[in-house]
Amino acid sequence: MLLDNHSRDINHAARIDCPDRRPLRIMTCIHSFGPGGVERVALRLNCAWRAMGAEVRVIVGRGGGAAGVAGTEDSLCHIIPRGERITRRTQLGWMLRWLPAIIRRERPDILFCPGNTYSSVAVGMKIALGAACPPIICKISNDLTRADMGPLLRLGYYRWLAIQGRYIDQFVAMAPAMVDEIAERTRTDPLRIATVNDPILQEAELNRLAALTRAPGDGRRFIAIGRLMPQKNFSLLLRAFARIASPQDRLTILGEGPERQMLEELSAAIGVAGQVAMPGHVDNLEPWLAQADVMVMSSDYEGVPAVLIEAIAARLPVVTTRCSASMDDLLANGLFGTLVTVGDEASLARAMQHSPAPPAPAAAHAHARQFTVEQGAADYLALMATMVAAHTSPDMR
């Protein structure tokens, strides 16, 4: 079974079928079982949809990876053969080469694009298959303003988003605050943008996080989680930490990626190497959240970061950059943490120095409960069934 056996806990009574009463056939494409939040949420959603009666298929460009599959013989996944040597640079071309034939053979009712990382695949399928392409629903998983880009690159990116708006049938915002941004950047009618809170946690995980206990440490224990990529701007975090760290304070950065060496060299150069731990990617965040006092996010841009919701569920106060249009909503307008300007080292350091108190358990639990797999899977299925019914109606033929 993929990831875990949580699908058995989904209510089978929530099943939603196609207009002709057969199970809905959903196809999702991911490049690999990588450690990213987009892939993890996509796999969990597919497990939930299958438990709710849908026929699901996850097409994977290459096997292996930290998200892990206990047995790839599981009928949930199809790994494209001979993809072992595919790299991040070649994975898009690999998927575009093989996916059209798979879609023609398996004939899904709908394609689920689990994040705007995969929007190129979605547009490619519309072009390659034409009228034979099933409707596509695309979750917007990252900020679209992209203030981190230079003016020319950003202009090109906005034009690409407008192209997506012409080809993709339905967009999904992960929080209400994202709708206007999606409509503006993709030049899409807001009626083609639904809102489904990102299904980050299972109910059982939510309850475990709420029950975590933490022993006091000698100093403040900061934690940050994410791939070691430029987007996360962990170099900003290291510099901010160096400004305010007492000898007893500690910073743990969980994640792996190409910036590891640069970050290790930076922590040594600014004199905090002995206070910074970078243990790499971990599958279970719970023990790490239990050993932390404050969650810090230094990203340049995000969508709805799963780790932020997990931290709130674990009753950790949050200090974060305003890296998404959703941040005010996600922090309940300051109830669960402090927001600072993107890229502002001094402001981030001050917020870490004067980090907020832990949130009240009941409020944190109620807030995080909006982001459960159980609720999100049912919402997505209802939206997909409506799309398929419209696509197959006589007026649409």
Side-chain angles (χ1 to χ4, degrees):
M1 171 62 76
L2 200 62
L3 292 178
D4 51 41
N5 293 320
H6 79 276
S7 60
R8 75 180 93 184
D9 300 323
I10 303 295
N11 182 359
H12 286 254
R15 171 173 172 159
I16 297 177
D17 295 332
C18 290
D20 59 3
R21 308 303 300 170
R22 62 175 174 75
L24 192 68
R25 294 194 299 263
I26 306 167
M27 181 173 287
T28 304
C29 306
I30 61 175
H31 291 311
S32 69
F33 299 114
V38 166
E39 290 77 17
R40 181 175 62 164
V41 170
L43 294 170
R44 289 186 166 185
L45 276 173
N46 276 273
C47 287
W49 292 332
R50 182 168 64 175
M52 295 167 72
E55 294 181 3
V56 299
R57 194 72 152 154
V58 180
I59 307 302
V60 186
R62 63 182 188 275
V69 177
T72 53
E73 73 282 1
D74 193 305
S75 60
L76 185 71
C77 293
H78 169 75
I79 300 175
I80 296 175
R82 301 185 300 279
E84 295 82 3
R85 297 183 180 179
I86 299 304
T87 66
R88 289 180 62 87
R89 290 178 177 273
T90 59
Q91 61 192 10
L92 174 60
W94 182 253
M95 187 68 75
L96 293 176
R97 173 185 174 186
W98 288 98
L99 192 54
I102 295 172
I103 292 173
R104 291 189 186 99
R105 182 179 70 243
E106 301 200 8
R107 301 182 64 185
D109 297 304
I110 196 159
L111 298 181
F112 175 57
C113 179
N116 40 319
T117 306
Y118 295 95
S119 57
S120 300
V121 176
V123 172
M125 293 307 99
K126 282 289 188 178
I127 294 172
L129 296 171
C133 186
I136 295 176
I137 180 171
C138 179
K139 182 180 79 172
I140 299 298
S141 57
N142 254 327
D143 166 72
L144 299 183
T145 301
R146 296 301 299 272
D148 61 301
M149 293 181 173
L152 290 178
L153 182 59
R154 189 162 58 247
L155 177 61
Y157 180 65
Y158 289 168
R159 289 179 176 175
W160 165 235
L161 292 174
I163 292 172
Q164 294 178 32
R166 294 202 297 268
Y167 283 99
I168 293 172
D169 301 278
Q170 178 79 50
F171 291 97
V172 173
M174 298 189 296
M178 297 178 71
V179 172
D180 289 344
E181 179 182 84
I182 296 171
E184 178 184 1
R185 297 304 175 198
T186 64
R187 302 179 190 176
T188 297
D189 188 328
L191 294 176
R192 288 172 52 210
I193 306 170
T195 301
V196 178
N197 285 329
D198 203 23
I200 293 165
L201 294 167
Q202 302 160 222
E203 286 278 359
E205 287 178 312
L206 175 60
N207 294 332
R208 288 199 304 271
L209 288 168
L212 289 179
T213 58
R214 49 182 56 87
D218 293 333
R220 295 168 296 181
R221 299 167 297 183
F222 299 97
I223 189 169
I225 305 167
R227 293 180 178 177
L228 307 184
M229 304 285 287
Q231 170 190 352
K232 305 300 181 181
N233 205 347
F234 287 132
S235 58
L236 176 77
L237 173 58
L238 288 172
R239 293 192 301 270
F241 176 71
R243 281 180 176 233
I244 57 95
S246 67
Q248 293 78 31
D249 292 342
R250 296 292 182 268
L251 169 63
T252 300
I253 302 176
L254 300 179
E256 196 51 80
E259 289 203 329
R260 169 174 286 278
Q261 182 176 346
M262 181 274 290
L263 295 172
E264 290 174 340
E265 292 173 352
L266 175 61
S267 65
I270 59 180
V272 294
Q275 296 172 257
V276 175
M278 297 174 60
H281 173 80
V282 299
D283 290 322
N284 182 11
L285 293 179
E286 292 174 18
W288 298 91
L289 295 175
Q291 297 171 31
D293 299 310
V294 182
M295 164 78 176
V296 187
M297 181 170 291
S298 52
S299 299
D300 291 334
Y301 62 93
E302 291 284 350
V304 173
V307 294
L308 188 148
I309 301 301
E310 290 171 298
I312 292 173
R315 306 180 320 284
L316 280 180
V318 175
V319 172
T320 178
T321 56
R322 194 179 294 276
C323 51
S324 166
S326 306
M327 280 298 167
D328 283 296
D329 286 345
L330 294 177
L331 294 187
N333 297 308
L335 182 62
F336 301 114
T338 302
L339 279 165
V340 302
T341 302
V342 169
D344 189 333
E345 178 185 321
S347 293
L348 184 62
R350 283 194 299 270
M352 293 170 67
Q353 179 74 13
H354 305 288
S355 54
H365 188 83
H367 186 70
R369 203 167 190 271
Q370 301 175 81
F371 300 88
T372 60
V373 175
E374 289 81 352
Q375 182 61 55
D379 291 344
Y380 269 111
L381 271 189
L383 178 59
M384 290 176 177
T386 300
M387 291 175 63
V388 171
H391 184 74
T392 57
S393 69
D395 293 340
M396 296 293 292
R397 291 173 185 167

